[in-house]
Amino acid sequence: MSTAKKTCEVCGKKASSLSQCKSCGRNYCRKCQSPSTSQKFCKECVAMEGVISKK
């Protein structure tokens, strides 16, 4: 039985599950989730100014 691992498009490491960034559309692992938001944004998009709307 094989456990398929996917590659994170942010850090390049293998992960068992990935989420898709709502800003750039890349698939990222849990470690690349932005710690400053509970929304689905990768840490690189949150690091850029103006990515998250202020509603």
Side-chain angles (χ1 to χ4, degrees):
M1 183 178 234
S2 68
T3 18
K5 296 229 176 193
K6 300 167 187 150
T7 303
C8 174
E9 294 176 28
V10 177
C11 69
K13 294 182 181 176
K14 299 283 184 183
S16 56
S17 67
L18 299 174
S19 298
Q20 187 175 36
C21 179
K22 291 179 0 182
S23 179
C24 67
R26 292 185 294 177
N27 295 309
Y28 63 88
C29 67
R30 181 175 289 176
K31 290 182 181 181
C32 290
Q33 164 79 35
S34 172
S36 62
T37 179
S38 60
Q39 297 178 25
K40 291 193 174 190
F41 290 104
C42 70
K43 63 184 180 182
E44 289 184 355
C45 283
V46 172
M48 296 185 317
E49 263 186 82
V51 171
I52 300 173
S53 63
K54 298 176 183 177
K55 287 185 179 180

